[in-house]
Amino acid sequence: MLTQRQHALRLEATWRPATDEAPQAYTLNLKNLSTNTISHFTLCISGPGRVDPAVRIEGGTVGRRLSNFTEFMPPENFELGAGETWSLAISALSWPFQHWTDGATAAYLAFADGSTLSLSVEPTRSLANNAPLKRGAEIYPVPANPPVPVAIVPWPSEVSVSGKRQAPPGFSINASNPLAHAAADAFATLVEQLFAVEGIVRSASEGGMPVNLDVVDGFAAEAYDISFAGDSIQVSASTRAGLLYGLITLGQIWRGAHLHPHAFRFPVEGKIRDEPTMGWRGLHLDVARQFYATSEIKKLLAILAWNKINRFHWHLSDDEAWRVEIDAYPTLTEVGAWRGHGLAIPPLLGSGAARTGGYYTKAAVREIVAHAGGLGIEIVPEIDVPGHCFAMQQAIPELRDPKEAGSYYSVQGFPDNCINPAREQTYQILETIFRELIELFPFRTIHIGADEVPLGAWSGSPEALAKLREIGGDIVADQHAKRLNVITNTHGADDIDGSGAAVLQSIFLARIQKFLAEQGCITGGWEEAAHGNVIDKDKSYLCGWRSVEVSAALAGQGYEMVVCPGQVYYLDMANSPDWDEPGASWAGWSEPETLYNFDPVEGWSAEQKKKLRGIQACIWSEPMTNRAVFDRLVFPRVSALAESAWTRPEDKSWERFKALAGLMPILYGYS
């Protein structure tokens, strides 16, 4: 068996954009830096970029391929001698690479005896750009003379303060009401998690300045007032959330004055009045493509609370993994939560040969939900169905028609990844899963995905075609059967509206939404859940991801909308079109200023705006193969989203935001 000590090998990759003289080329160079010859091996890579089904390759051939996992076979009887390099040139990809994270981020050799050898992988270099690769959050420096006297993000409705005094050592919070006690405890937990050594909350004996919490009727649900009067501070609100937000604002003012005393002041007197413009201020996190431990989720939730974000959309399943414990179906996590060489789910998106992954136990979910609730954040779990179910099907094969033949492919390159809407067993399984989920999430809002079902979905299933013939007629069923083995969405999600796939999905959605409503739940879905116009608009909402115009049209049809267009609010999109920036590019790119100034309801009528729940940013984790890339893509853009959701449009100011954003916490702090 080969070991890393015996063999020093390195994979280097380059990208050459297409020119008038030459096509695009993704070149992999496997360098044998050891003194040994190796043979009888294949090269396996994973990363966001995907080799196209119509692969064109020089130097070898393709073996197994699943989405972004590809196995490359060297020529017959090939040996890689000491000091030699094996080169593969690939010109057919699912999209042209745009950023350094598009290339392979993990690789290994698989040998005939079943052993594997992990490789050192260098970031893909562009032959057209040799700038240093960017990682880590961009921290805007605090200017010497910021445009406002106090540091608050998102900016409040009214700030009328005067005077300047030295920031106190911290705050001693006085509460005489159960709501006030709960808010004080939540704030103490929050600052301990985010800024433990700063001592923002401290006793009077340690110099804490008294802050009195006052529960007063008449405030909106998340509104608050702060009054400064000499050595007295009062925070007033009608709810625990309002009091907590007031304390967060006070903590931000303190940190600005404490850390940058020459730039910001701690007021002597005056008042701050505040309430949000939107009720839904959200962040979506995909934990299927990359796994984030409970500790990471809790820290992220604390950062969301500091930004006054109040919804956490938790994307718990996708083709690449299943991430939540379900007692009735333990194989969901035994099989679906792990990737690796020889497993049902191969290495994907930067995972290597070793078994990697994870899932959230029910105890962990309850811990996270309780933590979020204390911070004023409601959690919406998502189980993405009927598409994006490759991992789910590996764990529960009964979700597929056993007589289904042929294949169809999702836009991400997964075959036959949709659970079957014509099988009664499908609904029995899903209802069992959702019952267990509902018990875990008291917000009683369940997101069911419904996005990116391929045009050819179920075209080889006798059960599905029989159901389609029953409800749509022979012509529709026969047309749909012709889509079997026809590769469609390799470069963009199919528009399935009006197709047999849409008809089958609509009966699925109607039944699942009805079931959830009977359990007292609101059903969330991506905008494709509107196919067939079958879900109850009074008991559902949609996330509009394609464009503001699509969201406006759906609002005009009566759907409640959370606006999250990929071009701007998808935080996996790169900060610029430059190669040295990490991230994805399929929806475009969005620097923080672009996101901050974006109008999510531009062109909406007054009637359409009545259907606006709010906005959310979405973190899709494909390019986030290390945590420094996460920081780079998420911060400070999540704070820009927070201010867009909270602050009145006429009160927004990019220059003010940029001066304050450097004070906001980030998750990892890697560079």
Side-chain angles (χ1 to χ4, degrees):
M1 183 171 176
L2 300 167
T3 68
Q4 192 73 48
R5 186 163 55 86
Q6 291 172 316
H7 291 277
L9 296 107
R10 184 170 70 221
L11 184 68
E12 296 178 354
T14 60
W15 166 252
R16 184 188 68 204
T19 65
D20 292 339
E21 292 76 31
Q24 65 182 20
Y26 178 44
T27 301
L28 300 172
N29 294 308
L30 177 63
K31 296 189 173 183
N32 184 358
L33 306 178
S34 75
T35 57
N36 301 299
T37 295
I38 60 171
S39 60
H40 305 294
F41 68 89
T42 61
L43 170 64
C44 302
I45 68 168
S46 74
R50 297 195 299 274
V51 174
D52 196 81
V55 62
R56 295 191 297 277
I57 183 172
E58 297 177 7
T61 56
V62 170
R64 185 184 181 196
R65 189 188 76 89
L66 180 74
S67 186
N68 48 71
F69 170 84
T70 307
E71 179 185 40
F72 295 101
M73 322 283 286
E76 189 174 359
N77 299 320
F78 178 81
E79 293 185 341
L80 185 62
E84 295 181 347
T85 297
W86 176 37
S87 293
L88 293 161
I90 305 154
S91 56
L93 299 163
S94 290
W95 70 84
F97 289 178
Q98 298 290 332
H99 304 281
W100 67 268
T101 48
D102 283 338
T105 49
Y108 64 94
L109 300 186
F111 294 92
D113 63 2
S115 64
T116 62
L117 179 65
S118 295
L119 301 178
S120 170
V121 180
E122 299 293 320
T124 302
R125 293 184 298 110
S126 171
L127 299 181
N129 181 321
N130 62 358
L133 305 182
K134 293 176 180 174
R135 302 176 177 87
E138 181 176 2
I139 308 298
Y140 296 135
V142 173
N145 297 296
V148 287
V150 289
I152 309 170
V153 176
W155 192 251
S157 305
E158 178 186 331
V159 178
S160 180
V161 295
S162 60
K164 180 178 182 179
R165 57 166 294 167
Q166 183 178 355
F171 301 115
S172 175
I173 302 172
N174 301 316
S176 58
N177 175 289
L179 286 179
H181 277 295
D185 290 345
F187 183 68
T189 298
L190 180 60
V191 296
E192 176 70 20
Q193 189 167 17
L194 294 178
F195 318 110
V197 299
E198 294 181 14
I200 297 175
V201 174
R202 60 179 67 201
S203 65
S205 64
E206 295 184 358
M209 185 178 190
V211 176
N212 299 313
L213 301 187
D214 192 12
V215 178
V216 180
D217 291 338
F219 284 86
E222 296 175 302
Y224 64 89
D225 279 0
I226 305 175
S227 296
F228 299 88
D231 290 332
S232 174
I233 301 174
Q234 180 172 301
V235 178
S236 302
S238 297
T239 65
R240 183 184 68 171
L243 292 172
L244 176 59
Y245 288 151
L247 288 170
I248 289 170
T249 293
L250 191 59
Q252 291 182 355
I253 293 171
W254 182 89
R255 294 193 75 244
H258 179 71
L259 299 175
H260 301 275
H262 301 295
F264 298 110
R265 70 176 60 167
F266 192 88
V268 174
E269 57 186 6
K271 187 177 284 289
I272 293 173
R273 299 179 185 276
D274 199 13
E275 66 178 292
T277 60
M278 296 184 188
W280 187 291
R281 307 177 303 279
L283 180 74
H284 160 286
L285 177 65
D286 159 26
V287 299
R289 275 59 178 261
Q290 310 292 344
F291 183 67
Y292 303 83
T294 294
S295 58
E296 295 173 280
I297 299 292
K298 291 174 69 175
K299 178 73 176 290
L300 178 61
L301 289 168
I303 292 173
L304 298 189
W306 198 254
N307 283 272
K308 302 187 178 78
I309 287 173
N310 67 351
R311 298 288 184 269
F312 180 58
H313 179 161
W314 201 2
H315 190 87
L316 291 166
S317 76
D318 217 297
D319 292 307
E320 293 84 352
W322 179 280
R323 299 296 191 196
V324 61
E325 180 181 33
I326 299 296
D327 293 335
Y329 298 102
T331 55
L332 283 170
T333 48
E334 292 169 355
V335 174
W338 308 96
R339 303 197 287 256
H341 181 73
L343 299 183
I345 305 173
L348 297 167
L349 296 167
S351 59
R355 179 178 181 264
T356 58
Y359 66 92
Y360 306 99
T361 65
K362 287 190 170 182
V365 171
R366 292 187 180 100
E367 180 183 345
I368 289 167
V369 169
H371 179 68
L375 299 175
I377 299 170
E378 300 287 4
I379 297 184
V380 177
E382 178 182 354
I383 299 300
D384 201 347
V385 288
H388 288 280
C389 287
F390 182 83
M392 190 181 185
Q393 287 180 326
Q394 304 315 298
I396 310 178
E398 301 93 313
L399 290 164
R400 191 169 188 239
D401 181 350
K403 295 183 180 179
E404 188 167 351
S407 284
Y408 56 88
Y409 288 86
S410 74
V411 64
Q412 287 83 16
F414 287 93
D416 313 314
N417 71 331
C418 301
I419 59 177
N420 201 301
R423 310 206 82 206
E424 187 60 29
Q425 206 164 359
T426 296
Y427 301 101
Q428 295 170 357
I429 292 168
L430 282 183
E431 288 175 9
T432 300
I433 289 170
F434 282 130
R435 282 192 177 95
E436 291 196 32
L437 274 182
I438 292 166
E439 187 270 331
L440 293 172
F441 293 95
F443 190 45
R444 302 189 82 78
T445 300
I446 306 293
H447 199 288
I448 61 170
D451 61 314
E452 296 184 331
V453 167
L455 190 61
W458 312 295
S459 54
S461 163
E463 291 181 74
L465 291 172
K467 175 63 70 173
L468 188 57
R469 198 173 303 279
E470 174 189 331
I471 60 178
D474 291 342
I475 294 176
V476 173
D478 291 343
Q479 286 178 338
H480 193 59
K482 294 177 182 177
R483 293 197 169 103
L484 185 62
N485 296 327
V486 176
I487 294 177
T488 55
N489 50 17
T490 58
H491 303 287
D494 283 337
D495 181 2
I496 68 169
D497 199 22
S499 69
V503 173
L504 289 167
Q505 178 178 258
S506 69
I507 64 170
F508 172 87
L509 294 176
R511 181 157 172 180
I512 294 298
Q513 189 266 318
K514 182 176 182 292
F515 167 78
L516 290 173
E518 289 170 349
Q519 312 310 307
C521 293
I522 296 295
T523 299
W526 300 101
E527 63 189 44
E528 292 96 322
H531 285 318
N533 196 31
V534 295
I535 60 175
D536 185 343
K537 297 182 178 69
D538 293 330
K539 298 177 182 177
S540 62
Y541 75 95
L542 302 179
C543 295
W545 64 271
R546 291 183 189 270
S547 68
V548 168
E549 291 77 17
V550 170
S551 292
L554 290 169
Q557 295 172 29
Y559 291 98
E560 290 196 7
M561 300 301 300
V562 171
V563 178
C564 48
Q567 307 92 324
V568 184
Y569 287 168
Y570 273 24
L571 300 187
D572 52 316
M573 296 300 116
N575 282 280
S576 87
D578 298 333
W579 177 265
D580 50 285
E581 285 283 4
S585 56
W586 62 265
W589 59 274
S590 175
E591 63 182 348
E593 184 175 2
T594 300
L595 189 154
Y596 183 86
N597 289 321
F598 180 74
D599 181 1
V601 290
E602 182 179 6
W604 286 41
S605 68
E607 285 300 308
Q608 288 170 331
K609 289 179 181 178
K610 292 179 181 178
K611 294 296 182 179
L612 178 69
R613 283 196 170 203
I615 60 176
Q616 72 179 29
C618 296
I619 300 173
W620 298 100
S621 294
E622 286 97 331
M624 299 181 184
T625 53
N626 69 58
R627 297 322 199 212
V629 169
F630 185 101
D631 277 355
R632 181 76 186 175
L633 292 171
V634 175
F635 306 102
R637 291 194 292 185
V638 71
S639 294
L641 182 283
E643 186 148 303
S644 297
W646 183 282
T647 305
R648 291 186 303 245
E650 62 269 23
D651 291 335
K652 291 176 64 179
S653 163
W654 168 251
E655 291 305 314
R656 181 194 65 231
F657 174 82
K658 188 175 181 180
L660 307 180
L663 285 162
M664 300 300 283
I666 60 177
L667 188 52
Y668 299 107
Y670 294 157
S671 59

